[in-house]
Amino acid sequence: MILDKIDELLKEVQNLSAQNAEEVEQLRLKYLSKKGEITALMNDFRNVAADQKKTVGMKINELKTLVTERINQLREECATQETGDEAIDLTRTPYPVQLGTRHPLTIVTNEIIDIFSRMGFVLADGPEVEDDMHVFTKMNFAADHPARDMQDTFFISQHPNDVTKNILLRSHTSSVQARVMENMHTEDGKLTAPIRVICPGRVYRNEAITARAHCFFHQVEGLYIDKNVSFTDLKQVLLSFAREMFGPDTQIRLRPSYFPFTEPSAEMDISCFICGGEGCGFCKHTGWVEILGCGMVDPNVLEQCGIDSSIYSGYAFGMGVERITNLKYRVSDLRMFSENDVRFLKEFESAN
């Protein structure tokens, strides 16, 4: 009796068909579920005579294998059919393509470059993995300057007895200026052409990561060297930049400061563009906001780079891109620039 039932099911399974995945699932439940045909045969198998158990068992296994293979075959056929139907449906409405946006730091960097390019500055670039000579020595840093310490600089290889062999991640883009000056003079220290470059790039410093500081950030530095360059030239360039960047009513002020590679040196503030210089929480009620450092190139720097300081003079300036971006868009946490949060980045779609 059980053998007749198995033979009947074998013929039935060979002719199984389905039009979609739902029908395939119904067939699986009919034959292979806990309440299906195969399970029922296994329950009846306990009542089979001992001399027939081997034959009946083989038949049940054969049936189960055939059912499994047939259902898998039908499942693949339905999946292929559904995929094919989707591929040739030319009447379907296409999915909208989501447009990306530039990173806010890229937006601001490009804006800074554009402003200075219109003043005659050209782009210059250099390696992020640098040597001590270009990062510190040629920039007039003393041998015992704190910036050379491991607490400030990421050293890749360090030689305490020979700093010229030190390899590090650059801590400022002034190293690019050193390389430009090296390649722009003749053997007697005369310039082959006036130097007027803008140097954007990423820099690294060994600092704790907080809302106001990071171990890597971005700078834009400028350098102009020629005969008879004065501090007045520097002030006029920076005033023009500030008004292009923050609005035509922007005022600037220069405060005395110190940098190893410039003398005299200054820090530049702009009038607060939120309160108009009257004082608010953003400018700490001073009416001014600091944006960059600047100064006249120290003669020692010119000489270190092979340029005759008795003939030439120049100015340099540098600003943090994150700082300028914070001022323009009032981003409260510096870490948001490097966390790749799509919600944050989408806020800058209109700035492209």
Side-chain angles (χ1 to χ4, degrees):
M1 178 67 110
I2 191 170
L3 287 174
D4 293 338
K5 177 65 173 176
I6 293 172
D7 288 337
E8 180 182 339
L9 289 174
L10 283 170
K11 294 178 182 178
E12 183 178 314
V13 169
Q14 291 174 352
N15 297 318
L16 289 180
S17 62
Q19 300 299 318
N20 51 54
E22 185 178 349
E23 292 184 5
V24 174
E25 179 63 15
Q26 292 300 321
L27 291 175
R28 188 192 68 80
L29 294 174
K30 177 181 178 181
Y31 291 101
L32 299 175
S33 68
K34 291 182 179 180
K35 296 181 180 181
E37 299 286 358
I38 302 296
T39 302
L41 289 175
M42 295 299 293
N43 292 333
D44 294 341
F45 181 72
R46 291 176 296 194
N47 302 321
V48 175
D51 59 341
Q52 292 185 334
K53 279 187 179 294
K54 181 178 180 180
T55 302
V56 173
M58 293 176 62
K59 280 283 192 179
I60 292 176
N61 287 335
E62 179 185 352
L63 174 63
K64 184 176 181 180
T65 300
L66 181 62
V67 171
T68 302
E69 291 178 351
R70 183 57 182 160
I71 288 177
N72 288 339
Q73 181 183 3
L74 290 172
R75 184 180 288 115
E76 292 177 3
E77 290 176 356
C78 290
T80 303
Q81 181 179 0
E82 291 174 2
T83 303
D85 290 344
E86 289 182 3
I88 62 174
D89 185 4
L90 302 179
T91 64
R92 288 188 59 179
T93 302
Y95 293 110
V97 177
Q98 296 241 350
L99 297 178
T101 178
R102 288 185 176 86
H103 194 279
L105 296 180
T106 302
I107 295 170
V108 172
T109 300
N110 289 342
E111 188 174 354
I112 295 172
I113 292 172
D114 178 66
I115 293 171
F116 283 108
S117 294
R118 286 186 270 119
M119 298 184 197
F121 288 81
V122 297
L123 275 176
D125 194 14
E128 293 183 11
V129 179
E130 261 289 8
D131 55 46
D132 183 289
M133 180 63 69
H134 292 90
V135 175
F136 294 128
T137 303
K138 288 184 179 292
M139 288 292 108
N140 202 35
F141 282 80
D144 58 351
H145 195 282
R148 295 179 185 266
D149 196 0
M150 278 292 291
Q151 283 130 359
D152 288 316
T153 303
F154 287 109
F155 281 94
I156 296 174
S157 64
Q158 193 170 16
H159 301 267
N161 298 325
D162 187 359
V163 296
T164 61
K165 296 181 180 179
N166 290 345
I167 304 299
L168 49 98
L169 297 179
R170 66 184 182 188
S171 54
H172 51 194
T173 51
S174 300
S175 57
V176 182
Q177 299 179 18
R179 291 187 175 275
V180 170
M181 286 187 281
E182 281 182 341
N183 298 321
M184 292 288 288
H185 65 81
T186 59
E187 292 183 1
D188 59 358
K190 295 182 179 179
L191 290 180
T192 55
I195 297 174
R196 188 186 281 111
V197 294
I198 193 83
C199 314
R202 182 160 47 188
V203 299
Y204 306 84
R205 293 181 189 172
N206 193 2
E207 297 182 3
I209 299 175
T210 67
R212 299 178 64 85
H214 210 292
C215 62
F216 71 85
F217 52 98
H218 300 77
Q219 284 186 337
V220 176
E221 295 197 16
L223 175 69
Y224 176 45
I225 298 176
D226 201 354
K227 295 178 180 178
N228 303 316
V229 178
S230 68
F231 202 96
T232 302
D233 299 323
L234 169 63
K235 182 178 179 181
Q236 186 58 48
V237 164
L238 295 180
L239 177 62
S240 299
F241 163 72
R243 289 181 172 174
E244 286 277 348
M245 195 74 183
F246 299 103
D249 297 326
T250 303
Q251 301 297 318
I252 69 170
R253 73 175 183 182
L254 297 170
R255 294 177 289 104
S257 186
Y258 167 77
F259 303 108
F261 34 82
T262 54
E263 179 60 36
S265 303
E267 291 181 343
M268 189 181 91
D269 303 332
I270 61 170
S271 55
C272 181
F273 50 87
I274 295 176
C275 64
E278 295 182 3
C280 65
F282 184 76
C283 62
K284 300 179 181 178
H285 302 284
T286 64
W288 298 94
V289 181
E290 178 193 338
I291 66 167
L292 58 83
C294 60
M296 300 300 294
V297 178
D298 193 295
N300 290 335
V301 173
L302 296 176
E303 295 293 341
Q304 285 275 5
C305 296
I307 297 174
D308 190 343
S309 62
S310 65
I311 302 175
Y312 301 99
S313 58
Y315 60 72
F317 55 85
M319 66 193 79
V321 178
E322 281 83 352
R323 175 68 171 165
I324 303 297
T325 307
N326 281 340
L327 292 176
K328 284 184 68 70
Y329 300 113
R330 303 181 70 178
V331 179
S332 59
D333 193 332
L334 202 67
R335 293 168 292 192
M336 297 179 72
F337 290 128
S338 55
E339 289 180 348
N340 293 326
D341 189 327
V342 175
R343 296 168 300 177
F344 170 71
L345 298 176
K346 279 183 175 295
E347 295 179 11
F348 297 89
E349 287 179 337
S350 61
N352 282 273

